[in-house]
Amino acid sequence: MIFLRPISDPSAAMRHSPMLRAICLTFDYVTENGPIGLTTTRALKRYFVEWAAKAFEWPFYTAKDLYALNKVLNECDFPPLALTHDLLLSTKLARHKNGALHLTRLGRKLRDDPSAMWALLAERFLFATDHSGYTRFGDRLIGNWDVFLNVINVEAQLGVSEDRLCHVLYGPSESHDGHDAIRVKAALFIHVLRPLCWMGLLEEVRSGTGLKQEEHYFKTGIWREAFKLDTDSQLALVTEH
């Protein structure tokens, strides 16, 4: 079983984790402006979505990126915000009441303790959230977190591509038909790589565009502090410049 260790430097967690930054900014918004209005379908109202798109500056989902695809922004048009909203409710840091999103007592308490908030969010988002609904076909997780983290721990020591991780975890792509290989890769991203990036444990670096786009993943400064893994003894030394 994987256990998350405390992060001693809250500024490092804030710097690396777009999820933690977004939730802290949301809490500050509510403190200054009051509860956030909800639509009849219990989505966050457009005025907050538009504010969040600019304030969060979420990697690959900046306001510029979002408005390039949408004339107006609803919660469903800003996927990180939709997942942030779900996570706030599942961790009981916020709740719906009288047509608005309110902070709970726990949320107000943890706003002053970012390290504890990060630990709660990471535990829930990584290990207790079913991400199947965010995949195109409802694909479930293939594998377990112990294997994923130990493999990534070694492979991402100097940076690793998504294709390389799929090869190590699931074998050569030639062993699957093209359709299956795409779905396996997408499921790995949605269930494992994206949550690790959004919690600040991995950094995603993209190069190229369209069908030639490639993604590489690097461990951040809080990875080693958060995890003690069986493969730690296998890590190659990283040359620092």
Side-chain angles (χ1 to χ4, degrees):
M1 184 175 179
I2 299 295
F3 294 97
L4 279 168
R5 298 190 296 181
I7 302 299
S8 60
D9 181 3
S11 66
M14 191 77 74
R15 185 169 63 254
H16 289 297
S17 172
M19 182 66 78
L20 180 62
R21 289 197 305 272
I23 285 181
C24 287
L25 285 167
T26 299
F27 284 11
D28 293 345
Y29 180 96
V30 172
T31 299
E32 291 183 16
N33 301 282
I36 301 164
L38 300 172
T39 68
T40 55
T41 58
R42 294 197 166 190
L44 299 169
K45 284 195 171 180
R46 188 179 294 166
Y47 71 84
F48 179 77
V49 180
E50 293 172 343
W51 175 87
K54 297 175 183 177
F56 290 178
E57 297 182 331
W58 203 291
F60 311 118
Y61 292 94
T62 64
K64 181 179 179 181
D65 297 327
L66 295 170
Y67 280 114
L69 300 173
N70 307 278
K71 291 184 177 179
V72 296
L73 294 180
N74 296 302
E75 183 180 310
C76 61
D77 301 317
F78 188 5
L81 180 59
L83 270 76
T84 298
H85 187 182
D86 289 344
L87 189 58
L88 282 170
L89 297 176
S90 66
T91 53
K92 298 185 178 359
L93 293 171
R95 63 173 177 158
H96 292 170
K97 180 181 177 183
N98 298 329
L101 182 75
H102 297 252
L103 303 189
T104 62
R105 182 180 300 176
L106 176 62
R108 290 191 294 271
K109 176 182 176 182
L110 291 187
R111 176 61 186 92
D112 296 324
D113 190 352
S115 293
M117 185 190 293
W118 180 88
L120 174 65
L121 295 169
E123 188 76 31
R124 169 67 61 171
F125 196 51
L126 298 178
F127 308 134
T129 297
D130 182 2
H131 295 272
S132 302
Y134 305 116
T135 66
R136 184 174 181 183
F137 301 103
D139 293 321
R140 303 192 69 81
L141 186 64
I142 306 172
N144 64 73
W145 275 102
D146 184 68
V147 171
F148 294 139
L149 292 177
N150 275 288
V151 167
I152 293 171
N153 193 38
V154 174
E155 294 293 329
Q157 181 71 352
L158 300 173
V160 65
S161 69
E162 196 169 13
D163 288 336
R164 167 66 182 173
L165 279 177
C166 283
H167 177 89
V168 173
L169 289 165
Y170 304 117
S173 59
E174 293 79 7
S175 63
H176 313 283
D177 64 39
H179 179 67
D180 285 345
I182 292 171
R183 286 180 62 170
V184 166
K185 185 176 178 180
L188 179 66
F189 175 76
I190 295 295
H191 284 282
V192 179
L193 296 174
R194 187 170 76 175
L196 287 170
C197 289
W198 286 5
M199 289 315 309
L201 293 156
L202 290 179
E203 179 185 6
E204 180 185 0
V205 177
R206 296 181 183 179
S207 59
T209 57
L211 296 176
K212 293 184 178 181
Q213 178 176 293
E214 293 185 350
E215 300 82 14
H216 285 78
Y217 297 89
F218 300 82
K219 293 185 289 187
T220 69
I222 63 175
W223 174 285
R224 182 181 291 273
E225 191 172 8
F227 296 125
K228 182 175 176 59
L229 299 167
D230 294 338
T231 51
D232 285 343
S233 61
Q234 302 175 29
L235 300 181
L237 294 177
V238 177
T239 302
E240 295 187 2
H241 300 280

